Amino acid sequence: MTQVRLGEIVDELGGELIGSRDLAISRIGPLEGATPSTLSFLSHPRYQAQLATTQAGCVIVAPAMREAAVARGATLVTDDPYLYFARLTQWWARRVRPALPPGVHPSAVVSPKALLGRHVRIEAGAVVEADAVVGDGAVVGAQGYVGQGARLGAATRLAPRVTVLERCSLGERCIVHPGVVIGADGFGFAPHAGEWVKIEQLGAVRIGNDVEIGANTCIDRGALDDTVIEDGVKLDNLIQIAHNVHIGAHTAMAACVGVAGSARIGRHCTVGGSAGILGHLTIVDHVHISAMALVTRSILQPGVYSGSFPIDDNKTWEKNAATLRQLHTLRERLRALEKKFSP
């Protein structure tokens, strides 16, 4: 069991400690169910009631909660407890998850034409094709695949069973979870005589630095130009990013989001779980889309957007949708008439 003193944490991450620097902590956990060796955090006032009853050895709080936290015991005060908690988990993980040694597993298949940087790790059963580049300190997980001409930046980590197909690239410090497929063909077909004729997908996928991609997410290559994921984007599990989509820096998407082809999404956006974005739309920076919403038109003003509409035959649906957008105006007109003719 890992044990650290509170003083070590504060020396590393900062914050104001009220209490003993020698208090030993063996786990990070929630307020509920905490033990005297647990370090917990309180990031929202709605959970303040738990503060009085928790058995946590120390609690991370904002300055506004200082007095209540100190009344119960050791306290670590910081301006943003949730951010502090995030950085604490990273520091803790480095202590409890020792770095795996670099090297190429004997069962891996690495082309002699591939370029491997220093201190890379290629795990059991992985395949690295010709002209692929694996940057310094990068990891290709067990049974992973890095295609011809693909590129992995320094310190990027592919978990087991990740597929990066030909000519696709990831920047530095990316984290890609199991089952992800990067660079499969986009869904492109031309109708002809009642059949579908495949459109070869000639682009690739370009992913920036510090991107994290959740398990079983798929990012399709572009038809002609590349699909682009900019720096700092965070994608949850089971997301579909179609061909030629462009996602701006530091946008985050929750699980099961679907983005259709050629949509362009701005920077610092968020998309809630199971939301859908239709193809060829533009969404500007700082747009926040609620869970289960369906985006059917471009969004050109920052803000929070919600809602969807029941399926119907298209002509009826369009008429009802147009009426729905006028509902507020119609309500105000009705109120005015009622006021005018009321006795």
Side-chain angles (χ1 to χ4, degrees):
M1 180 182 294
T2 298
Q3 281 200 336
V4 298
R5 296 182 301 109
L6 284 178
E8 294 178 66
I9 296 173
V10 174
D11 290 344
E12 182 70 24
L13 302 176
E16 178 191 0
L17 176 62
I18 304 168
S20 172
R21 288 176 53 90
D22 293 325
L23 179 64
I25 295 297
S26 62
R27 67 184 289 265
I28 305 167
L31 291 168
E32 190 174 2
T35 66
S37 62
T38 301
L39 176 56
S40 298
F41 74 99
L42 176 64
S43 62
H44 198 286
R46 76 175 66 164
Y47 302 115
Q48 185 173 352
Q50 296 181 17
L51 190 60
T53 59
T54 184
Q55 298 299 307
C58 182
V59 180
I60 304 166
V61 299
M65 299 288 179
R66 171 206 289 265
E67 190 172 325
V70 170
R72 56 148 308 276
T75 302
L76 208 164
V77 183
T78 181
D79 290 338
D80 189 337
Y82 198 56
L83 177 62
Y84 196 100
F85 162 72
R87 290 175 173 159
L88 174 62
T89 61
Q90 294 177 7
W91 179 79
W92 194 275
R94 289 194 293 270
R95 296 176 66 95
V96 301
R97 299 177 190 164
L100 296 172
V104 178
H105 192 275
S107 66
V109 179
V110 179
S111 169
K113 294 183 178 179
L115 179 61
L116 304 186
R118 298 172 300 162
H119 310 300
V120 303
R121 178 178 172 85
I122 312 296
E123 296 183 348
V127 175
V128 181
E129 299 281 20
D131 302 319
V133 177
V134 180
D136 293 348
V139 176
V140 179
Q143 299 182 349
Y145 180 84
V146 180
Q148 184 174 10
R151 304 177 70 90
L152 306 182
T156 281
R157 295 189 282 121
L158 307 187
R161 294 182 293 101
V162 169
T163 299
V164 180
L165 291 164
E166 65 274 8
R167 297 182 291 106
C168 296
S169 65
L170 291 90
E172 299 179 354
R173 299 174 301 280
C174 295
I175 301 172
V176 185
H177 292 279
V180 167
V181 178
I182 297 170
D185 278 1
F187 194 65
F189 300 90
H192 173 68
E195 298 180 352
W196 297 101
V197 179
K198 182 175 179 61
I199 299 170
E200 290 294 340
Q201 305 293 291
L202 304 178
V205 177
R206 288 187 287 118
I207 296 174
N209 299 328
D210 302 300
V211 171
E212 185 159 349
I213 304 171
N216 294 319
T217 283
C218 295
I219 303 174
D220 291 345
R221 66 176 58 247
L224 297 175
D225 295 328
D226 295 341
T227 301
V228 177
I229 312 292
E230 293 186 5
D231 293 349
V233 168
K234 310 300 181 188
L235 302 179
D236 199 356
N237 302 336
L238 294 166
I239 288 175
Q240 164 64 20
I241 305 297
H243 55 184
N244 297 108
V245 168
H246 190 123
I247 300 178
H250 307 293
T251 282
M253 297 184 179
C256 299
V257 166
V259 183
S262 298
R264 189 173 185 92
I265 299 169
R267 299 182 170 197
H268 302 284
C269 297
T270 59
V271 183
S274 296
I277 298 171
L278 299 192
H280 299 274
L281 301 182
T282 296
I283 296 175
V284 299
D285 299 347
H286 299 286
V287 166
H288 306 287
I289 298 168
S290 298
M292 302 294 289
L294 177 62
V295 181
T296 60
R297 59 184 174 84
S298 292
I299 299 176
L300 304 179
Q301 294 292 329
V304 179
Y305 294 81
S306 304
S308 59
F309 205 80
I311 194 168
D312 205 339
D313 79 87
N314 193 64
K315 287 186 178 179
T316 302
W317 184 91
E318 288 182 343
K319 290 176 182 177
N320 287 334
T323 301
L324 188 64
R325 294 181 66 180
Q326 300 176 50
L327 204 55
H328 179 76
T329 302
L330 291 172
R331 185 186 69 173
E332 295 305 308
R333 290 172 62 187
L334 180 60
R335 282 182 172 177
L337 287 172
E338 288 175 337
K339 185 176 181 179
K340 178 177 181 180
F341 292 105
S342 62

